[in-house]
Structures are given as structure tokens and as C-alpha cells.
Amino acid sequence: MKLKSFALTSVTFCFTAICGTLSAQAATLTTVVDGVSNARGVSFGPDGSLYVAEPGIGGNGNCQPSPSTLFQPICAGNTSSLVKVSPDGTKQRLLNNFQSLAEQPTGNQGAGIEDIQFDSKGKAYLLTGFAGYPGNRDLATLNLGSQSVLPPQQLATFPPSTPDKVLNTPLLAQLYQVDLKTGSLNSIFDFAKNEITKNPDKGDVVTNPYDLAINGDSAYVVDGGGNTAYKIKLDGSKSEAIAIPKNIISKSDLPPGLQLPPGLLEELPGGKVAIQSVPTGGAIGPDGALYVGEYTGFPYPQGKSRIFRIGDDLKPEVFLDGFTHITDLTFDEKGDLLVLQFSDKSQLGGDITNLPGSLIEVAPDGTRTTLVAAGQGLDSADGIDIGPDGKIYITNRGVGPGRGEVVRVDGIVTTIPESSSVLGLLALAGVGATGAIAKRKRQEKSGELLAKAEIV
């Protein structure tokens, strides 16, 4: 599989660097539901119901500085929930008053319920985030963390809390099996305790579980704080952690005159620097591998986000590059990879609540097509899924109280290049490298899809 992966990557590089990116025409965004605070993952249940994770806006509880917010304090409250929209348009919030962290007083950049997914039997699994040093979560993790040594720079910028200042949010940074009728939670994996005791990437001790995928008897979780992807048996019997490597860029890629806070970047010989990966979206490909997109850490360079392929050997290999601030991935019925960009521009110095995002389709032959371009309605977009109707659904405006929405992408018409063009010839050259990729089978889901859904 290494040879096939390398061939596809090489062809894709040619499309990106030489042949350009195609553009779709006439894409429109139809709002399905809005009023969601710091909207995150979107998914569909076995009956066709739409679920959108609402991390919430924190509250007036204890606070901790967070590397996810460049060390601005995030404070605890009970404002997270799960928004459900049934096929007939009925809306309700489940798991109300769930634990949440967010900046105060803005309520931006919430961490709480991050994602929900279903297995082949219809069982639901819930992922909760955290965004900080996991020892601050509760007294149990604070005591566990006191038994290990933290990096000096972490002690200076986001140190452990005192016992009276822990966040008292023990439900965060965990993977659960959840009963959506009763709200009962059965913990499968505790990312906070694992980060403290094992620290898979050997960097700062941070966790922020961000994205969840289910395949067979395993859950695949992307931890943006821990720079790690996890494969976890759904019965909790086994877990494997895959550290995502740092991103090596040239100093010339940094903004001119940028003042670098000490310890955030690792300077390397030859005018290079290493920045944290900050992996975000994950998806299972038609070949059964896990694909992981990254946002990239400070200083958030434009065009430097990568997508990794993680096969059976659990070794991450760069599959595609040249993106900016990826927040989620999914594959459609054709085997095309859909890449959601939170923003096409670096978030540095911008209003994080209103950055121009985009949606890019990557075909199995490597062709990149922009389905929704920056400035066409995607702003700080944060999650993506394919609905029972085969259409694309995106959580949009993913930062801020009550701003979030789910939009359906309608009316996509793509311009196909002539086979005699250079682009067409290169596409044919890529077929041999990708012909073995089978289409992913999706569960059949019943019901009309939210055609008349109203506003929450």
C-alpha cells in the first residue's frame, strides 16, 4: 500500500502545484438549523435524524489558561448539549446542561460535547473535549498529574491548578457509549488520564479530543491537544495511540516581524522551525485506513496543513498537503475526499468568529475541486457529514454563542476538464495508482431529510 499511497500523493502534488484547482459552479448553502453555540461535529443517526454537537459557552466556574486559546482563560459551566433534528423537522436538545469550558466573557471557543457517531447496530457513542492541561480537570486527575514532571515551559504558561481551583468537569475528555433516551453514560476511554500517564507525542501534557469516527468494532478519535490519533475498541478492551508528527516549515513561511512567544516553536538547523500538528478531522477511507487532517499550531501558517493516512501499521504518512486550517474530513459515495477548511487564510490577527472557510473535493485520481470557495458563505466552519440524501452537511460559524448553524450544500455543478488537456492526461496517469480503492458502503437510512426543518 505504500507504493499506491506515494503515487497518489505525487499526482496530487502535480494538480496542486502545476495544474491548479478546479472550481464548482452554483453551489448554494441552505440553513437546516441554527442557534447553536460553538457548533462542532454533525452526524446522522440510523433513523435519519441529524445531530449537531454543541460544546456550549462555559460559565462562571473555575478557569484555566489554555494553549487552544493562546493561554486566554477558559472557564467552566454547564452549557453544553446535543441538538437533534428529526426527519420531520422536530427539534430538541439532549443531554442539556452538560459540562462545558469556554473563554469568558465572550463564550467563544467552547469545549464540551464534540461529536456523536453510531455503530452498525445503532448504538451511540459520544466524544467530549477539554482544551488544556488534563490535571486541572478534577481532583483525581490533579493528584495523578502530581506524580509526573511537566515541561518547564508548560509550568510557566499553563501550570497545574491548586486543589480549590480545579475545573470540576470530570465528564470532559472522555469517550462514552451513551443512551440518548435516558442520558446515561458508560465511559470507554479517559483521554485525560491517558495523556497524563503516557503523553503519546512526548510534548506538552495537553488533551482536547476533537473528532470521532466509528468503523467496525473500533472508535477512531483525533486529539487536537495531544497531537494524537487513537484507535479504541468499543468495548474498552484495547487502545492504541498514534502520535502525529510536527510540521517542519521554513522560517520564511512565518509572517514578517512576528514576535514568537518562547517555547511555542522549535528552531531547527537550516532555517527551519517545527510547529505542532494540531490534528482535527478524521475519516475512514474506502481502503479502510484512517485519514487525519490538521489545523496546525501557532503561528497558523497559510497553506501548510497536511492530511495523513494511517494504515494497519498505525504509522502516519503524509497523504496530501497544501491546505489551510482543516477542521474535518469525510468521504462520499464516489470515494471522493471532502476537506473542510475553517479558513483559507491564517487565523493570525483575524476575527476567529468570521474567517472565510471553504470546501474542497479531492477525487481518487488527485483532482482538487473547490465546491464552496472562500467568501461564499462558509465562515469558521467546523464539521462535515454526508446525509441520507447523499448531500453534504456542514456545521458553519463554529465559534461564538448562538452563532452556529448546520447548512446543506445544494446545486453543485462541476466543470470537467477535457481528456486531451494536461490535467486530463495527469488524471489518467493517476488511475493505476488508485484503481484498487473501493467505494465506501454507507448504511441505508430512512426518512425524509429535514426539508422543512425550522430554526432552533
Side-chain angles (χ1 to χ4, degrees):
M1 293 303 293
K2 276 188 177 180
L3 180 58
K4 291 180 181 178
S5 178
F6 175 77
L8 180 55
T9 304
S10 299
V11 172
T12 303
F13 172 79
C14 183
F15 280 121
T16 305
I18 302 173
C19 309
T21 301
L22 301 178
S23 295
Q25 304 295 323
T28 59
L29 304 180
T30 303
T31 300
V32 171
V33 60
D34 71 0
V36 183
S37 294
N38 291 306
R40 245 302 294 142
V42 59
S43 59
F44 288 85
D47 66 346
S49 294
L50 178 148
Y51 294 85
V52 54
E54 182 174 49
I57 57 173
N60 59 3
N62 287 340
C63 306
Q64 69 168 350
S66 170
S68 298
T69 59
L70 286 181
F71 311 115
Q72 293 300 308
I74 55 176
C75 306
N78 295 96
T79 54
S80 182
S81 72
L82 183 67
V83 178
K84 175 184 178 181
V85 184
S86 301
D88 64 2
T90 303
K91 300 163 298 298
Q92 60 183 133
R93 275 185 167 86
L94 309 177
L95 305 173
N96 265 319
N97 304 315
F98 202 90
Q99 293 170 3
S100 170
L101 300 170
E103 289 181 324
Q104 300 301 322
T106 64
N108 291 342
Q109 303 200 70
I113 294 176
E114 301 292 322
D115 204 353
I116 185 170
Q117 297 291 335
F118 298 82
D119 67 13
S120 60
K121 297 179 181 179
K123 294 181 180 179
Y125 298 86
L126 191 79
L127 183 69
T128 61
F130 185 71
Y133 169 57
N136 293 341
R137 188 183 69 180
D138 51 55
L139 285 174
T141 56
L142 185 68
N143 291 333
L144 183 64
S146 68
Q147 301 171 29
S148 59
V149 178
L150 294 178
Q153 183 58 34
Q154 180 170 351
L155 288 171
T157 52
F158 55 111
S161 302
T162 56
D164 60 321
K165 295 296 183 180
V166 295
L167 298 170
N168 297 313
T169 54
L171 298 181
L172 297 186
Q174 297 213 47
L175 173 65
Y176 299 98
Q177 183 180 334
V178 57
D179 186 326
L180 294 178
K181 293 182 179 179
T182 66
S184 65
L185 300 170
N186 175 32
S187 179
I188 297 172
F189 191 82
D190 190 323
F191 298 93
K193 291 181 179 179
N194 190 79
E195 177 69 16
I196 290 171
T197 57
K198 298 182 179 179
N199 188 13
D201 78 330
K202 307 305 178 187
D204 292 337
V205 182
V206 181
T207 188
N208 189 17
Y210 195 79
D211 193 78
L212 171 65
I214 303 290
N215 188 41
D217 63 354
S218 297
Y220 297 81
V221 174
V222 178
D223 185 338
N227 299 305
T228 302
Y230 286 90
K231 180 180 180 181
I232 303 166
K233 290 289 186 182
L234 292 176
D235 62 6
S237 62
K238 183 180 180 181
S239 65
E240 297 170 286
I242 306 107
I244 306 299
K246 288 184 176 182
N247 199 337
I248 309 300
I249 65 173
S250 172
K251 283 187 177 180
S252 62
D253 294 321
L254 302 178
L258 176 68
Q259 298 297 314
L260 297 177
L264 277 184
L265 298 182
E266 178 186 353
E267 296 202 29
L268 303 174
K272 303 288 186 180
V273 293
I275 62 176
Q276 293 196 30
S277 170
V278 189
T280 46
I284 305 299
D287 57 352
L290 174 65
Y291 292 79
V292 176
E294 66 182 0
Y295 192 93
T296 68
F298 182 88
Y300 318 112
Q302 185 172 323
K304 297 299 179 180
S305 294
R306 305 166 295 178
I307 297 174
F308 291 87
R309 180 188 181 277
I310 302 174
D312 292 338
D313 61 1
L314 301 183
K315 295 180 180 179
E317 295 183 343
V318 175
F319 179 69
L320 299 170
D321 59 14
F323 296 93
T324 301
H325 295 351
I326 297 171
T327 42
D328 210 353
L329 307 171
T330 195
F331 286 85
D332 66 15
E333 293 287 354
K334 300 178 295 181
D336 295 335
L337 174 61
L338 301 175
V339 183
L340 182 65
Q341 296 192 147
F342 185 83
S343 173
D344 275 31
K345 299 179 179 180
S346 171
Q347 77 164 63
L348 197 66
D351 176 6
I352 196 171
T353 67
N354 195 36
L355 295 174
S358 63
L359 176 64
I360 298 170
E361 174 189 83
V362 184
D365 65 16
T367 307
R368 297 189 188 190
T369 303
T370 300
L371 302 182
V372 182
Q376 293 184 341
L378 290 181
D379 303 307
S380 304
D382 223 2
I384 187 170
D385 199 15
I386 306 296
D389 56 358
K391 293 194 174 183
I392 303 165
Y393 289 77
I394 293 172
T395 49
N396 196 29
R397 299 174 184 167
V399 178
R403 299 186 72 253
E405 61 182 5
V406 175
V407 295
R408 184 179 64 236
V409 183
D410 293 322
I412 295 174
V413 178
T414 306
T415 303
I416 305 298
E418 295 182 5
S419 60
S420 59
S421 67
V422 174
L423 187 61
L425 290 173
L426 287 170
L428 291 174
V431 170
T434 60
I437 297 179
K439 292 182 179 179
R440 183 181 63 169
K441 293 182 179 179
R442 299 185 62 89
Q443 286 185 321
E444 291 185 0
K445 301 183 179 112
S446 60
E448 285 292 317
L449 182 68
L450 312 173
K452 298 181 180 180
E454 299 173 1
I455 303 301
V456 169

